[in-house]
Amino acid sequence: MYRAAAVFRCLAIMILLMLACHGNASAATTGPVSITLNHSVIALNGPWKFHAGDNPNWANPDFDDTSWETVDLTPLPGAHDSDVGLTGYVPGWQARGHPGYIGYAWYRLTVDVNAPAGDALALSGPPDVDSAYQLFLNGRLLDGIGDFSGRTPKVYSIQPRLISLPQTLIGGHPSVIAIRVWMGSWDTAPDGGGLHIAPAIGERSDVEARYQLQWLETIKGYVVEVVEALLFVLLAIMSCSLIPFDRWNRSYLWMAAALLLVGMYRANQAALYWGQFETVPVFELVSYVLLTPLCLGAWTLAWRSWFQLDHPAWVPKFALILTLLYMVAQLFSSAWSHDTWPPSIALMLGGLISVVRLLFLLLLGAIVTLGIRKQGRNGWYALPAVLFIAIGLFAQELSALHVPGIWFPFGTGVSRAQFAYLAFDVAFFALLLRRLWAFARSGWVRH
């Protein structure tokens, strides 16, 4: 009897201790995060309070968010995004219990900042967010990326931000940082949604150094695009320089047009991420609706002209039809039309795009085969350039075959297409140089 009573007393004490510990843990997660600054930068990894949906009152510092779920933005060691190599990356809300959710969500963090008197404080805005955000401090909007004035936010690329903080943040009293996020339906990655890299707080000069480092990562991630665009322009000029030696050969103009189109496509990648003048829908219109179909059509006809194939005569018309079909299907699949069509129509449009791209690939293969048969050894010389440009043009088909699409030398993302285009530049330069050398040796110009 006494032993049973003793056992029950021990169990009761254990339960009380567990409840006490749980109460302390709850208080720790709902209380302010204490931050002491002394010439340092501290990432605001949280834990943040998170809630899907949208309500302007959620920016209010007095709002009770204790019932919200918590989100920890602490990255794994060496973590970076899968595109350009931005460090400190964490998965978004779709990988944190909200798969398929698209729209608004809020993050809230209560902080208690202690810093030397007179220090100028700043915040580095989150450099990776799906897809636009506004940042509030104690209910006042400080900064953000995207235009939230309309019914649907106008989305630009996310860039590093340097946000000045008021001196009133210092003083040992809690302040609330609230971030309102909107995710577009085009961000379909399995780990997409919301904040991917936490903002950081600190003395302004130290935060500014972090801000400059984040910009350096962004610039490094897309500088290859600009270099490749310039190389394509130079090759187009070089191609046109052969026209006086072979006036009746239209392949040089076709090649120049195809090179310029690919160069414009590559340059527009950097324009989106380095500037804030092109919205995501405009970027999709330029790059995906116009330039991508035009690139495939132009390169198909450029190689046909290069191999001097006059037959079959229906190839130019067929290439034109494929290009127009691609444009129409891509137009109705772009950002502005997301969620406009029922799933069956969206699936049909995606299938049409895949079929058109496959037909372009088969047509290119047939042209190269016929060209090599016609020209023999001279045709084989063009094969490396054809293969390298095809790797870039048909990147998504290679990805579907699980061919690795990106590598991170020195921590910067370099895609398979970028490697392929650089190799193409060398191969095509050699091809043009060989033909120019042949004209120089012949000592005559065709009229």
Side-chain angles (χ1 to χ4, degrees), residues 27-106:
T29 57
T30 57
V33 175
S34 180
I35 298 174
T36 301
L37 300 175
N38 187 13
H39 298 290
S40 60
V41 177
I42 297 177
L44 298 178
N45 294 323
W48 291 76
K49 288 295 186 176
F50 172 84
H51 197 286
D54 189 37
N55 187 333
N57 292 326
W58 293 347
N60 192 330
D62 298 325
F63 177 79
D64 183 7
D65 58 15
T66 54
S67 62
W68 287 18
E69 61 186 277
T70 59
V71 173
D72 189 355
L73 300 182
T74 304
L76 295 174
H80 58 75
D81 77 310
S82 60
D83 187 14
V84 300
L86 297 176
T87 55
Y89 182 89
V90 297
W93 68 55
Q94 299 218 24
R96 296 173 181 262
H98 299 273
Y101 178 71
I102 293 171
Y104 284 98
W106 283 72

Side-chain angles (χ1 to χ4, degrees), residues 69-419:
E69 61 186 277
T70 59
V71 173
D72 189 355
L73 300 182
T74 304
L76 295 174
H80 58 75
D81 77 310
S82 60
D83 187 14
V84 300
L86 297 176
T87 55
Y89 182 89
V90 297
W93 68 55
Q94 299 218 24
R96 296 173 181 262
H98 299 273
Y101 178 71
I102 293 171
Y104 284 98
W106 283 72
Y107 295 78
R108 287 170 54 95
L109 181 67
T110 303
V111 296
D112 188 353
V113 179
N114 295 286
D119 274 7
L121 302 184
L123 189 78
S124 65
D128 194 345
V129 180
D130 297 325
S131 308
Y133 74 89
Q134 292 178 306
L135 190 145
F136 300 83
L137 178 65
N138 292 330
R140 183 167 67 91
L141 177 63
L142 289 186
D143 200 1
I145 293 182
D147 183 354
F148 285 76
S149 61
R151 179 179 177 184
T152 301
K154 187 180 294 185
V155 178
Y156 301 87
S157 66
I158 300 298
Q159 298 177 346
R161 298 291 252 201
L162 182 64
I163 305 170
S164 297
L165 296 176
Q167 286 290 320
T168 55
L169 189 65
I170 306 174
H173 51 83
S175 297
V176 175
I177 298 173
I179 302 179
R180 182 193 190 198
V181 177
W182 184 81
M183 177 184 178
S185 56
W186 56 84
D187 284 323
T188 56
D191 67 344
L195 303 181
H196 289 292
I197 300 178
I201 191 172
E203 198 274 329
R204 182 179 176 86
S205 61
D206 298 315
V207 175
E208 190 169 358
R210 181 187 181 94
Y211 162 78
Q212 292 172 352
L213 180 61
Q214 289 174 339
W215 257 117
L216 180 62
E217 290 180 333
T218 303
I219 292 173
K220 285 168 56 181
Y222 295 97
V223 70
V224 176
E225 307 283 2
V226 176
V227 172
E228 286 182 340
L230 291 174
L231 291 176
F232 278 114
V233 171
L234 291 175
L235 286 174
I237 295 172
M238 184 177 179
S239 181
C240 290
S241 71
L242 296 180
I243 294 177
F245 300 97
D246 197 359
R247 297 183 185 276
W248 299 106
N249 192 336
R250 296 182 179 180
S251 65
Y252 306 120
L253 285 176
W254 274 112
M255 285 294 178
L259 287 162
L260 290 175
L261 286 169
V262 176
M264 291 168 62
Y265 178 90
R266 307 312 294 182
N268 199 40
Q269 302 279 333
L272 174 69
Y273 291 99
W274 289 358
Q276 287 281 294
F277 51 84
E278 190 176 36
T279 64
V280 169
V282 170
F283 169 80
E284 287 197 358
L285 179 65
V286 173
S287 289
Y288 301 149
V289 177
L290 295 177
L291 292 179
T292 298
L294 287 174
C295 284
L296 289 177
W299 277 108
T300 300
L301 297 180
W303 287 120
R304 179 179 182 269
S305 182
W306 182 271
F307 289 115
Q308 299 179 359
L309 296 174
D310 297 326
H311 300 284
W314 50 263
V315 169
K317 292 183 179 179
F318 187 57
L320 176 61
I321 292 172
L322 289 180
T323 301
L324 293 177
L325 277 175
Y326 196 171
M327 285 182 175
V328 172
Q330 195 67 59
L331 176 64
F332 290 105
S333 302
S334 57
W336 69 270
S337 63
H338 281 292
D339 300 328
T340 302
W341 315 112
S344 58
I345 299 297
L347 187 63
M348 184 183 70
L349 290 171
L352 177 59
I353 291 173
S354 298
V355 169
V356 168
R357 291 180 61 86
L358 179 60
L359 290 174
F360 265 123
L361 181 59
L362 293 175
L363 187 58
L364 178 61
I367 288 171
V368 174
T369 302
L370 293 174
I372 290 176
R373 286 181 180 178
K374 179 179 180 179
Q375 295 188 353
R377 185 175 66 179
N378 287 335
W380 283 105
Y381 287 137
L383 185 60
V386 174
L387 291 177
F388 288 133
I389 197 68
I391 290 173
L393 294 175
F394 297 98
Q396 62 190 66
E397 284 72 21
L398 288 173
S399 296
L401 297 174
H402 303 290
V403 178
I406 192 165
W407 294 267
F408 292 89
F410 309 107
T412 301
V414 182
S415 69
R416 177 186 57 231
Q418 289 173 332
F419 282 116

